[in-house]
Amino acid sequence: MNKAVRKAVIAGNWKMNKTRPEAKALLEELKPMVADVKDVEVVACVPFTNLETALAATAGSNIKIGAENCHFEKSGAFTGEISADMLAEMGVEYVVLGHSERRQYFNETDETVNKRTKAALAAGLKPIVCVGELLWERECNITEEVIARQIKLDFYDVSAEDLKKCIIAYEPVWAIGTGKTATADQAEEVCAFIRATLAKLYGADVAEAITIQYGGSMNAGNAAELVSKTNVDGGLIGGASLKAADFTTIIKAAVNG
Ligand code: PGA
């Protein structure tokens, strides 16, 4: 395993939080705190309504901006939806796809995650594709089956070249917003399994180059141990990304990880 070939990525997932003035204030506070960070990619994935504000606030800085979803069609009669092209045209770089909250509350399936991933790639966005098992799936000892299925379906028909533009976020559903973090060993075990699954599908060199994040109650206190693991290349951070000091601590942990 060679962590040196991969850049750690710490991405905040703001979810449905922050008005525009609040978004600007948070990013303005964060900017100087992370200005000297070079070896870790810092990303803020924000609600659609905050994208323009966030792009303006972070212009010329080392903070990249992402959206939290996109639709899979290019345009048309899809009321309330946002296309990948619309995001790319704004200067958005990343997009979170297949988050468990989208799967749970908005009926997203691996099939639509796959379509969205391909649409995002076609528009030049970098997808952060989320996978993870439910608590009862872990208890039934089928975590690896669930994860392998999600990886195979979510990346169906995605070329090796395109896969290299993707980030995979391992987010055990039972750990999201619950305060229950997977132990560093649990996170490492599944992230290593994801890499092994990618190696079978795409070859070892491609698998070694993919950034695999952990997400689920990652915070200023537990980040260092999680990102020290060989196959954990950063994190997708919900709650703790809403506080500049906590998010910065996580980013600095990844610099040292
Ligand atoms: P959390 O959320 O850090 O608040 O658990 C993580 C996520 O949903 O990406």
Side-chain angles (χ1 to χ4, degrees), residues 42-243:
V42 179
V43 184
C45 299
V46 308
F48 291 131
T49 49
N50 288 341
L51 286 171
E52 196 146 24
T53 304
L55 287 164
T58 56
S61 80
N62 58 344
I63 303 173
K64 306 289 170 55
I65 298 302
E68 298 177 13
N69 191 22
C70 71
H71 193 60
F72 44 81
E73 294 293 347
K74 281 184 91 62
S75 63
F78 301 98
T79 303
E81 294 296 322
I82 305 284
S83 76
D85 285 341
M86 291 172 180
L87 299 174
E89 185 278 332
M90 295 181 78
V92 170
E93 251 183 76
Y94 288 87
V95 61
V96 178
L97 296 173
H99 191 278
S100 67
E101 286 149 17
R102 304 258 2 137
R103 294 178 192 256
Q104 187 180 349
Y105 304 127
F106 303 100
N107 301 324
E108 281 201 18
T109 63
D110 288 310
E111 188 183 0
T112 59
V113 174
N114 176 248
K115 285 178 165 183
R116 285 171 215 271
T117 301
K118 287 193 276 198
L121 286 164
L125 298 173
K126 296 173 188 159
I128 301 175
V129 178
C130 304
V131 297
E133 81 286 3
L134 304 172
L135 182 59
W136 69 273
E137 290 168 334
R138 177 166 280 267
E139 286 169 353
C140 292
N141 228 357
I142 60 164
T143 298
E144 292 193 350
E145 280 163 68
V146 171
I147 300 290
R149 181 186 157 88
Q150 288 175 335
I151 294 288
K152 285 177 191 164
L153 295 177
D154 295 352
F155 294 101
Y156 169 71
D157 206 21
V158 172
S159 69
E161 262 332 286
D162 273 346
L163 184 81
K164 287 189 201 160
K165 297 168 195 155
C166 298
I167 291 171
I168 297 173
Y170 166 55
E171 297 209 315
V173 180
W174 46 272
I176 296 175
T178 58
K180 273 192 205 166
T181 323
T183 64
D185 286 340
Q186 285 171 325
E188 168 64 12
E189 196 180 9
V190 181
C191 290
F193 175 76
I194 291 171
R195 205 175 303 286
T197 304
L198 293 173
K200 276 190 208 148
L201 296 169
Y202 291 94
D205 288 356
V206 175
E208 281 298 309
I210 305 297
T211 295
I212 303 176
Q213 299 173 318
Y214 169 77
S217 299
M218 199 192 247
N219 58 42
N222 60 27
E225 197 189 351
L226 286 159
V227 299
S228 73
K229 293 292 175 182
T230 311
N231 286 287
V232 180
D233 310 315
L236 183 58
I237 325 294
S241 72
L242 299 172
K243 295 191 192 108

Side-chain angles (χ1 to χ4, degrees), residues 30-50:
L30 183 65
K31 244 187 332 188
M33 296 172 95
V34 301
D36 60 344
V37 172
K38 285 184 199 72
D39 298 334
V40 171
E41 179 98 323
V42 179
V43 184
C45 299
V46 308
F48 291 131
T49 49
N50 288 341

